[in-house]
């Protein structure tokens, strides 16, 4: 039932083979085809620009006021590429291996290999666009190392790599809107997917300023709408990040893969009060010099400086002596959560752990630490008002990246024909845990290099510009209009934001870093209750025209349904892997215990009706990499 | 903290708009400025009033979405974005005046939300390297001296928020435009289109209705990313060089 369309042949040749045999369209005929791209982050902008350069018509939609606001902009650390500029033994193969292992053997080998393969050309492309990556005094590009690997393959632009790469893609896109075939629709939100005979043929779009709802037709649809970690409310994501585009596509038949795999970033600032809207990320690089600890005593009220050395528990160093404070993200985050849950948490809300630079300052001097992390310490002070040179930082895990997303085959096409899903919105490359600096890479290669070929291959078999039956069009329009009218008509007493906050807390405590069957069952019934209350008590201020509250309400409505699928997914996977840790399935030392015999598959969910889902499985075959235990002891 | 907020309310682009006073109480000094507005909006919603519309997204100072003229200064008293401004920068009992960006080229859409698409059109006029996907040289075949790469980077950190325009008494977009022209003029990748880029982007900037530059430097002083005034000098040089040696006659 699940056809991945992975080409035959050795893994090193699959992508070359695919490109050599995929169908092409004559340059003069390409302009007859129209592709809709939803989302203007790295994946969407790069795909739209590249398609337009090839000669296709491209209609781009974003709910932002400008393509440059997309959340790719916020990625800090870097982007991986197996250039081996450092002569440190890096190769496509090694990058492929690191990524599959980092994903805890729950990703598709052929896709991961291709991502590593395409990484080389991506760096060339970005530099040609004028992306100012960090350089050595020689004038050549600089690299640094990142978590989970032993080589230096990360290219970076200070702490603003995402912003710089997005500028490159945005400029390519906006250039095509001037000289090419891109027409850009800002402040438009995709409300639904148009599917005719199991083929994606357009979207239902809402103009967020006028409220007007229209049907936009095309020969193929690309969703590059990002991740849904914001479902946890408090997260490192932007306020407007949402799952609505992929969720609406899911409800129209697109399968959703591994929804419960969300990465929690270990070094975010903790929540400081109930009013808080967002958790700010502090760069992971701080863990190179900071030591993470909590008081040994439960509910210890003392200030950190009053707690003597022997009463501190440097739990990462204790549990993972070889990796220590640099243990991978999933493991570090979970360990922190365990300390907080067992009453060792610190800070005003007892929801954090210490990241202490005292020893590093004593060893290297304050000046050295200031040189390395000065900007981060300043940022910490600006946000918290605290001085991290004098007292340890407070850090806490926060929802960050969704490894899950719409299911796609090797061509990045969903089971709905002609619906392509790129970047964080799909599930394909990261397995159950993403390595740092691989998310920018995936978004870029999906957009610039992969989708361009696979979309052309699909379109070559399609008759362009087939008009959709008017009856279908007006029905679809009406459905969206009714949906919004219904939300406006509830006139309860609770804002969408309040529902979102409630859902976030529920998911974070019951289906977050640590999961357990009875608790998950509880979460399920509570989400259903919250859904019920949403339709009874929701308050949206009047107005079909520009109305941020109405936009939010529709997104929260979708989040409430997705939340249920997340819990369902976490329930069915009776093993621990990567970001998914089930309390019942751990080793005697408290580590994640995979069950490869029964769960070496990707869960692929079909939407049957509202709140009812059916599980399919994509079995994962590991032909090239030996599946082993992921140990960082 | 208890505060009085004097906020600009405007129903839509054609409405005249005006200030309205609101009171907020029990505001924590650790709240961000936008979180304080969230609190106000919850209050307004509960009372059945229309919440105040304001732009925001990443809330970590990089997307360029948040704006707000706070007590007469873009992004408030600190040289940062509004999302990174916290209530500890204000005093209990204070009255805070909150306005949208004021510029002809940034029409008010609703309340504190303005339309900044003029910035997109300036970039669209030439703020790029005309390179298609594929067929480019290896990244290390274009060595760039570190000093130049760093300076180009400094210009490239512009987040396009529009504070420079809002700070300027002439509502000039020189700092924004010059940042992109500078970045690409300094890099070898930008040389081929260097002259044409300067001419076209400046022409677009003028046609959008932004004012002229009188070198007061308010733009750079208020820029949350500290984009340097020297970019404007460089842009003027680029423009002059282009106009005396242009291939477009």
């Amino acid at each position: 039932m699940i056809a991945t369309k992975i080409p035959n042949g050795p893994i090193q040749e699959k992508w070359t083979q695919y490109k050599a045999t995929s169908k092409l369209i004559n340059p003069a005929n390409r302009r007859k085809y129209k592709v809709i791209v939803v989302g203007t982050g790295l994946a969407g902008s790069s795909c739209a620009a590249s398609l337009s350069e090839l000669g296709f018509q491209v209609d781009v939609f974003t709910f932002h006021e400008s393509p440059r606001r997309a959340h790719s902009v916020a990625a800090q650390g870097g982007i991986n590429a197996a250039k081996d500029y450092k002569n440190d033994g890096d190769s496509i193969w090694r990058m492929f291996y690191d990524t599959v292992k980092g994903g805890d053997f729950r990703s598709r080998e052929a896709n991961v290999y291709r991502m590593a393969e395409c990484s080389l050309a991506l760096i060339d492309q970005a530099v040609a666009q004028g992306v100012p990556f960090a350089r050595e005094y020689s004038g050549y590009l600089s690299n640094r190392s990142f978590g989970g690997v032993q080589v230096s393959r990360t290219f970076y632009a200070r702490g603003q790599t995402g912003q710089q790469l997005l500028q490159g893609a945005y400029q390519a896109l906006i250039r095509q809107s001037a000289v090419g075939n891109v027409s850009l629709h800002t402040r438009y939100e995709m409300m639904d997917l148009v599917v005719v005979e199991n083929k994606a043929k357009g979207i239902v779009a809402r103009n967020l300023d006028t409220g007007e709802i229209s049907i936009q037709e095309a020969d193929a649809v690309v969703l590059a709408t990002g991740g849904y970690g914001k479902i946890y409310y408090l997260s490192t994501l932007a306020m407007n990040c949402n799952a609505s585009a992929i969720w609406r596509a899911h409800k129209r038949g697109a399968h959703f893969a591994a929804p419960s795999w969300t990465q929690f970033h270990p070094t975010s600032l903790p929540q400081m009060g109930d009013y808080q809207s967002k958790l700010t990320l502090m760069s992971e690089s701080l863990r190179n010099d900071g030591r993470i600890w909590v008081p040994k005593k439960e509910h210890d009220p003392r200030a950190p400086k009053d707690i003597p050395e022997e009463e501190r528990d440097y739990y990462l160093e204790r549990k993972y002596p070889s990796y220590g404070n640099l243990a991978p993200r999933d493991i570090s985050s979970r360990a922190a959560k365990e300390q907080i849950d067992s009453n060792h948490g610190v800070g005003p809300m007892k929801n954090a752990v210490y990241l202490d630079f005292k020893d590093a300052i004593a060893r290297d001097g304050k000046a050295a630490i200031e040189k390395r992390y000065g900007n981060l310490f300043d940022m910490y002070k600006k946000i918290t008002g605290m001085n991290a040179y004098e007292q340890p930082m407070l850090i806490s895990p926060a929802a960050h990246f969704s490894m899950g997303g719409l299911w796609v085959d090797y061509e990045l096409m969903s089971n709905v024909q002609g619906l392509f899903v790129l970047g964080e919105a799909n599930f394909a490359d990261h397995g159950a845990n993403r390595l740092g600096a691989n998310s920018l890479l995936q978004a870029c290669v999906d957009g610039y290099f992969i989708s361009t070929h696979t979309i052309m291959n699909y379109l070559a078999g399609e008759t362009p510009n087939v008009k959709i039956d008017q009856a279908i069009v007006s029905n679809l329009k009406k459905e969206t209009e009714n949906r919004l009218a219904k939300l406006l008509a509830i006139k309860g007493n609770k804002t969408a934001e309040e529902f979102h906050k409630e859902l976030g807390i529920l998911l974070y405590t019951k289906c977050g870093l640590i999961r357990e069957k009875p608790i998950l069952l509880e979460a399920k019934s509570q989400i259903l209750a919250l859904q019920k209350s949403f339709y009874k008590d929701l308050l949206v201020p009047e107005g079909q025209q520009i109305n941020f509250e109405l936009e939010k309400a529709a997104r929260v409505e979708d989040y409430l349904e997705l939340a249920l699928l997340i819990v369902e997914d976490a329930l069915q996977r009776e093993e621990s892997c990567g970001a998914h840790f089930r309390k019942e399935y751990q080793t005697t030392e408290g580590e994640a215990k995979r069950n490869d015999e029964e769960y070496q598959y990707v869960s692929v969910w079909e939407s049957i009706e509202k709140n009812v889902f059916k599980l399919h499985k994509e079995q994962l075959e590991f032909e090239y990499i030996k599946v082993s235990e992921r140990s960082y002891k | 903290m208890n505060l009085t907020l004097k906020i600009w309310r405007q129903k839509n682009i054609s409405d005249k708009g005006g200030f309205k006073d609101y009171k907020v109480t029990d505001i924590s000094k650790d709240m961000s400025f936008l979180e304080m507005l969230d609190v106000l909006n919850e209050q307004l919603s509960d009372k059945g009033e229309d919440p105040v519309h304001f732009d925001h997204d990443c809330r970590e100072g990089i997307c360029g979405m948040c704006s707000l003229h706070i007590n007469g200064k873009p992004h408030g008293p600190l040289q940062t974005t509004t999302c990174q401004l916290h209530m500890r920068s204000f005093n209990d009992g204070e009255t805070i005046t909150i306005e949208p960006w004021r510029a002809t080229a940034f029409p008010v859409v609703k309340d504190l939300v303005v339309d900044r698409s003029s910035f997109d059109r300036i970039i669209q006029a030439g703020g790029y390297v005309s390179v298609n996907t594929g067929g480019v040289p290896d990244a290390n075949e274009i060595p760039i001296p570190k000093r130049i790469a760093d300076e180009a980077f400094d210009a490239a950190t512009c987040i396009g928020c529009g504070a420079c325009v809002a700070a300027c008494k002439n509502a000039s977009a020189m700092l924004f435009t010059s940042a992109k022209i500078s970045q690409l003029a300094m890099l070898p990748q930008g040389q081929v289109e260097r002259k044409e880029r300067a001419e076209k982007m400046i022409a677009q900037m003028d046609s959008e209705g932004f004012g002229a530059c009188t070198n007061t430097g308010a733009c750079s002083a208020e820029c949350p990313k500290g984009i340097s005034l020297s970019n404007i000098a460089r842009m003027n040089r680029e423009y002059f060089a282009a106009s005396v040696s242009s291939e477009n006659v």
Side-chain angles (χ1 to χ4, degrees):
Chain A
M1 139 107 228
I2 290 186
T4 53
K5 293 196 269 180
I6 296 170
N8 292 325
I11 199 159
Q12 296 89 339
E13 287 164 30
K14 285 181 193 295
W15 183 233
T16 313
Q17 263 306 311
Y18 178 89
K19 286 191 285 182
T21 53
S22 66
K23 285 180 274 182
L24 300 177
I25 299 171
N26 178 302
N29 283 335
R30 289 180 200 156
R31 70 174 70 96
K32 296 177 186 160
Y33 292 88
K34 183 189 272 184
V35 179
I36 282 178
V37 177
V38 186
T40 59
L42 273 172
S45 288
S46 59
C47 171
S50 305
L51 286 174
S52 168
E53 289 161 10
L54 286 168
F56 294 103
Q57 292 178 58
V58 189
D59 273 8
V60 177
F61 293 86
T62 171
F63 66 77
H64 289 288
E65 56 149 17
S66 163
R68 68 182 295 159
R69 311 287 182 213
H71 196 52
S72 304
V73 79
Q76 298 174 359
I79 179 162
N80 289 330
K83 281 284 201 184
D84 194 28
Y85 282 165
K86 285 279 184 188
N87 188 33
D88 58 0
D90 200 9
S91 63
I92 293 172
W93 186 269
R94 200 179 284 279
M95 185 168 168
F96 160 57
Y97 176 83
D98 288 340
T99 305
V100 170
K101 181 190 172 197
D104 215 356
F105 305 94
R106 290 292 176 267
S107 52
R108 199 188 282 152
E109 274 189 338
N111 282 60
V112 176
Y113 190 90
R114 178 178 59 186
M115 178 172 83
E117 189 181 343
C118 294
S119 69
L120 310 184
L122 190 271
I123 298 302
D124 302 340
Q125 187 67 38
V127 167
Q129 290 171 341
V131 171
F133 285 125
R135 288 179 184 267
E136 308 287 353
Y137 283 101
S138 61
Y140 292 112
L141 290 160
S142 173
N143 294 115
R144 62 182 171 198
S145 73
F146 237 69
V149 299
Q150 288 167 309
V151 295
S152 297
R153 66 163 72 101
T154 307
F155 294 78
Y156 61 101
R158 289 183 206 156
Q160 288 141 270
T161 318
Q163 184 206 16
Q164 294 308 315
L165 284 167
L166 185 65
Q167 288 282 309
Y170 157 71
Q171 287 163 206
L173 173 71
I174 205 124
R175 167 177 161 248
Q176 284 303 309
S177 74
V179 304
N181 311 309
V182 164
S183 76
L184 196 55
H185 305 266
T186 55
R187 300 270 307 134
Y188 272 83
E189 181 154 358
M190 166 176 158
M191 303 303 293
D192 208 345
L193 182 71
V194 179
V195 181
V196 183
E197 291 163 3
N198 195 38
K199 283 182 177 170
K201 287 291 177 191
I203 62 168
V204 180
R206 177 165 179 267
N207 179 326
L208 297 178
D209 291 329
T210 63
E212 187 206 349
I213 289 161
S214 59
I215 304 286
Q216 305 285 338
E217 299 184 32
D219 301 297
V221 175
V222 176
L223 300 185
T225 51
Y228 50 86
K230 182 74 192 167
I231 194 169
Y232 287 89
Y233 191 75
L234 283 175
S235 79
T236 65
L237 278 81
M239 298 305 286
N240 295 306
C241 287
N242 65 79
S244 286
I246 56 173
W247 188 253
R248 290 285 138 188
H250 173 61
K251 294 190 80 172
R252 291 289 175 192
H255 293 170
F256 208 118
S260 70
W261 290 347
T262 301
Q263 180 171 76
F264 287 76
H265 199 289
T267 54
S268 140
L269 299 183
Q271 183 183 10
M272 305 296 255
D274 296 333
Y275 52 81
Q276 197 150 335
S277 57
K278 147 104 191 177
L279 298 174
T280 304
L281 204 62
M282 297 298 283
S283 169
E284 219 168 335
S285 62
L286 289 168
R287 291 201 279 151
N288 282 304
D289 284 299
R291 295 180 71 195
I292 294 173
W293 65 276
V294 291
K296 279 186 182 163
K297 218 170 91 187
E298 285 184 30
H299 303 292
D300 196 329
R302 289 175 292 179
K305 65 172 173 32
D306 299 331
I307 302 177
E309 204 55 34
E310 62 278 9
E311 291 180 43
R312 300 174 173 197
D313 181 7
Y314 295 89
Y315 58 89
L316 282 178
E317 296 171 22
R318 170 170 60 79
K319 288 168 80 175
Y320 308 98
S322 67
Y323 275 70
N325 294 300
L326 284 172
R329 285 181 180 176
D330 51 344
I331 290 172
S332 310
S333 292
R334 192 152 57 236
K337 181 76 165 55
E338 280 164 6
Q339 295 300 331
I340 294 163
D341 288 350
S342 60
N343 304 320
H344 295 279
V346 296
M349 291 179 76
K350 301 288 173 208
N351 59 353
V353 298
Y354 290 128
L355 177 62
D356 200 336
F357 291 86
K358 182 171 62 83
D359 294 345
I361 290 171
R363 185 188 63 220
D364 301 338
K366 190 183 163 196
I369 296 300
E370 196 169 347
K371 200 168 164 206
R372 257 172 252 166
Y373 309 112
N375 59 336
L376 293 167
F377 279 54
D378 288 349
M379 179 167 122
Y380 182 77
K381 180 144 198 226
K382 196 145 73 174
I383 296 171
T384 63
M386 290 186 268
N387 183 344
Y389 295 105
E390 283 161 15
Q391 60 190 74
M393 278 186 185
L394 295 169
I395 56 160
S396 163
H400 185 52
F401 183 90
S402 3
M403 279 77 73
L406 286 187
W407 182 87
V408 289
D409 60 21
Y410 187 74
E411 297 189 291
L412 304 183
M413 184 157 83
S414 101
N415 57 304
V416 173
Q417 299 298 294
L419 177 68
F420 294 82
V421 191
L422 316 185
E424 195 176 343
N426 75 25
F427 89 102
D429 297 346
H430 307 294
N433 175 53
R434 178 177 65 74
L435 287 184
N438 266 353
S439 61
L440 289 177
L441 175 66
Q442 189 223 339
C444 288
V445 299
D446 280 6
Y448 286 111
F449 301 125
I450 300 172
S451 59
T452 40
H453 297 286
T454 62
I455 290 171
M456 176 133 64
N457 182 59
Y458 169 77
L459 290 175
E462 292 294 297
T463 315
N465 199 19
V466 179
K467 285 282 158 228
I468 307 171
D469 187 334
Q470 273 311 305
I472 298 180
V473 167
S474 62
N475 268 341
L476 276 171
K477 240 177 101 170
K478 199 155 284 160
E479 265 183 61
T480 296
E481 281 163 1
N482 290 346
R483 180 182 165 217
L484 296 177
K486 196 175 143 195
L487 295 177
L488 282 165
I490 298 170
K491 295 192 196 300
N493 52 15
K494 223 164 127 182
T495 60
E497 193 85 352
E498 289 174 86
F499 281 103
H500 193 175
K501 279 186 181 174
E502 223 168 289
L503 176 67
I505 293 169
L506 203 166
L507 273 184
Y508 184 77
T509 51
K510 302 198 163 160
C511 189
L513 287 143
I514 301 167
R515 294 137 185 214
E516 196 182 352
K517 191 171 181 180
I519 310 279
L520 287 169
L521 288 171
E522 236 174 73
K524 206 172 144 176
S525 60
Q526 284 174 338
I527 293 167
L528 283 169
L530 198 59
Q531 247 185 29
K532 238 188 203 151
S533 149
F534 180 84
Y535 292 110
K536 201 163 67 69
D537 305 322
L538 175 73
L539 169 67
V540 185
E542 285 294 324
Q544 287 281 6
Q545 292 190 349
I546 184 170
N547 185 343
F548 289 179
E549 291 297 312
L550 181 60
E551 294 165 29
K552 211 183 297 170
R555 293 170 192 162
V556 172
E557 183 185 24
D558 291 337
Y559 270 151
L560 282 164
E561 293 179 22
L562 170 59
L564 207 60
L565 182 60
I566 288 178
V567 172
E568 202 72 70
D569 187 51
L571 263 173
Q572 65 80 32
R573 189 167 284 276
E574 298 191 323
E575 66 159 354
S576 296
C577 61
H580 172 70
F581 188 84
R582 282 280 299 263
K583 211 171 177 179
E584 306 96 312
Y585 308 100
Q586 49 181 310
T587 63
T588 44
E589 291 162 308
E591 299 302 324
K593 194 170 158 194
R594 281 199 330 258
N595 177 351
D596 294 325
E597 252 164 55
E598 290 175 83
Y599 290 94
Q600 195 170 294
Y601 64 76
V602 175
S603 51
V604 182
W605 296 93
E606 179 185 353
S607 169
I608 303 293
E609 57 183 273
K610 185 165 176 151
N611 297 341
V612 182
F613 312 98
K614 184 178 166 196
L615 177 66
H616 303 274
K617 296 172 185 177
E618 180 195 330
Q619 285 299 329
L620 294 167
E621 312 290 341
F622 292 90
E623 273 182 77
Y624 294 89
I625 292 181
K626 193 171 166 284
V627 177
S628 59
E629 196 192 327
R630 205 170 140 247
S631 170
Y632 295 92
K633 290 266 172 199
Chain B
M1 297 165 82
N2 299 326
L3 301 161
T4 305
L5 306 173
K6 215 174 169 55
I7 301 181
W8 185 263
R9 301 301 310 256
Q10 184 173 333
K11 277 201 183 75
N12 52 46
I13 204 158
S14 44
D15 180 29
K16 200 165 152 240
F19 283 104
K20 209 169 163 197
D21 288 0
Y22 299 94
K23 293 236 182 287
V24 282
T25 51
D26 290 331
I27 296 296
S28 155
K29 66 176 176 28
D30 290 326
M31 273 183 194
S32 75
F33 196 84
L34 297 181
E35 285 164 353
M36 182 274 294
L37 288 180
D38 290 342
V39 170
L40 169 70
N41 275 347
E42 285 291 327
Q43 274 178 28
L44 293 177
S45 294
D46 289 346
K47 283 193 285 185
E49 290 178 41
D50 195 21
V52 177
H53 280 58
F54 61 92
D55 271 329
H56 67 101
D57 198 25
C58 79
R59 296 202 177 187
E60 56 183 275
I62 192 75
C63 74
M65 200 54 184
C66 65
S67 54
L68 305 188
H69 226 95
I70 302 163
N71 287 341
K73 290 187 113 183
H75 295 303
L78 303 182
Q79 196 179 359
T80 182
T81 54
T82 296
C83 66
Q84 298 293 291
L85 175 67
H86 288 76
M87 297 314 292
R88 66 182 78 92
S89 294
F90 299 88
N91 301 316
D92 189 21
E94 201 176 326
T95 297
I96 305 175
T97 308
I98 310 171
E99 291 172 83
W101 284 171
R102 302 285 190 192
T104 312
F106 289 164
V108 175
V109 176
K110 182 171 182 176
D111 298 337
L112 304 168
V113 175
V114 299
D115 177 356
R116 286 170 283 196
S117 56
S118 46
F119 269 11
D120 284 330
R121 290 188 293 274
I122 292 175
I123 300 294
Q124 195 181 36
Y128 44 73
V129 175
S130 291
V131 55
N132 282 358
T133 301
V136 297
D138 183 88
N140 258 352
E141 278 181 36
I142 318 174
I144 302 170
K146 184 171 163 50
R147 186 185 59 79
I148 303 222
D150 285 349
E151 221 178 317
F153 187 94
D154 289 339
T157 54
C158 166
I159 56 174
C161 64
C164 47
V165 174
C168 177
K169 64 188 169 100
N170 307 323
S172 166
M174 293 279 267
L175 194 66
F176 169 79
T177 311
S178 69
K180 189 50 71 186
I181 288 178
S182 281
Q183 179 205 340
L184 296 175
M186 280 186 274
L187 295 173
Q189 299 94 310
Q191 296 312 307
V192 174
E193 300 161 284
R194 186 170 172 177
K195 291 178 190 169
E196 204 181 339
R197 177 180 306 117
E199 289 177 315
K200 285 187 170 171
M201 287 179 72
I202 289 172
Q204 187 63 37
M205 175 183 84
D206 289 343
S207 76
E208 293 290 346
F210 290 106
C213 175
T214 46
N215 291 310
T216 59
C219 52
S220 182
E222 296 293 350
C223 172
K225 295 292 149 180
I227 302 288
S228 160
L229 214 52
S230 61
N231 289 304
I232 295 185
R234 193 179 287 107
M235 177 171 83
N236 287 336
R237 199 162 66 225
E238 291 293 318
Y239 185 68
F240 180 69
S243 59
V244 295
S245 66
S246 174
E247 286 85 20
N248 301 330
V249 277

